[in-house]
Amino acid sequence: MMSVFKYVLMGLGGLFLLVCAGVGYALIDSRTSQADNQVFLESVLNDVGGRWRAQDIDHAFAPEANRQLASLKGVRFLRQMSRLGEFKEMRDLKTLRHQVGFPANFTELTFRAFFENGYSDMTVVLQFDGKDRKILQMNAKAPVLSRAAAIKS
């Protein structure tokens, strides 16, 4: 009876170690990819070059997101963002959620993007499988235009 109890406890201990290792791996993976996510997002925002045309950034979006960009709502989003002009810098990048799954992992990020005519607080959901990252969703709070940009409009 005692030896069965001993094996059950050893099995539970082994299971506990596996769970701890999995959680540790997920945390390390999400932290090491933070810099990669920033480089990817900065690259996408630089690609729009102030014009905010869907064809300039469609390579970075998942097929579902490209369909949304082509919709009326997507066109309005791009038009609204085009008022901000060219991308300058990104600040305060934070991971809101990181989900490890099969066949892909998902990360939800928030940051403040600064442009030549103002800034916007943005939320992006990235999908990645291995090295390939794609944007599933990009949301921006109403852009804040600088005084000079507001006078031009």
Side-chain angles (χ1 to χ4, degrees), residues 76-114:
R76 285 183 186 151
F77 169 76
L78 293 173
R79 189 177 308 130
Q80 181 183 25
M81 293 303 290
S82 70
R83 295 175 56 204
L84 290 170
E86 289 192 35
F87 173 72
K88 296 297 181 189
E89 72 175 305
M90 175 188 300
R91 292 188 194 156
D92 304 325
L93 179 67
K94 294 181 182 101
T95 300
L96 297 179
R97 191 170 45 109
H98 182 75
Q99 180 180 342
V100 178
F102 182 79
N105 299 332
F106 301 94
T107 300
E108 185 175 2
L109 303 159
T110 184
F111 58 93
R112 179 166 283 180
F114 289 87

Side-chain angles (χ1 to χ4, degrees), residues 40-60:
F40 173 75
L41 290 170
E42 287 175 342
S43 169
V44 171
L45 291 172
N46 279 319
D47 285 349
V48 295
R51 295 183 305 264
W52 285 90
R53 296 183 316 181
Q55 59 266 32
D56 294 335
I57 53 176
D58 64 354
H59 65 279

Side-chain angles (χ1 to χ4, degrees), residues 21-153:
V23 168
Y25 174 76
L27 289 174
I28 290 170
D29 181 49
S30 68
R31 294 201 192 274
T32 57
S33 65
Q34 184 83 345
D36 295 336
N37 290 337
Q38 182 164 351
V39 168
F40 173 75
L41 290 170
E42 287 175 342
S43 169
V44 171
L45 291 172
N46 279 319
D47 285 349
V48 295
R51 295 183 305 264
W52 285 90
R53 296 183 316 181
Q55 59 266 32
D56 294 335
I57 53 176
D58 64 354
H59 65 279
F61 284 76
E64 310 86 61
N66 275 325
R67 284 192 291 278
Q68 289 177 0
L69 277 177
S71 71
L72 182 59
K73 188 175 179 180
V75 171
R76 285 183 186 151
F77 169 76
L78 293 173
R79 189 177 308 130
Q80 181 183 25
M81 293 303 290
S82 70
R83 295 175 56 204
L84 290 170
E86 289 192 35
F87 173 72
K88 296 297 181 189
E89 72 175 305
M90 175 188 300
R91 292 188 194 156
D92 304 325
L93 179 67
K94 294 181 182 101
T95 300
L96 297 179
R97 191 170 45 109
H98 182 75
Q99 180 180 342
V100 178
F102 182 79
N105 299 332
F106 301 94
T107 300
E108 185 175 2
L109 303 159
T110 184
F111 58 93
R112 179 166 283 180
F114 289 87
F115 302 87
E116 65 183 342
N117 297 327
Y119 70 90
S120 182
D121 293 325
M122 303 185 79
T123 303
V124 174
V125 177
L126 295 179
Q127 171 186 350
F128 54 99
D129 48 2
K131 297 279 183 192
D132 193 28
R133 282 180 170 73
K134 295 288 183 184
I135 296 173
L136 277 180
Q137 190 176 38
M138 178 183 278
N139 296 316
K141 289 186 179 175
V144 177
L145 297 173
S146 65
R147 285 182 153 258
I151 292 170
K152 286 184 203 174
S153 297

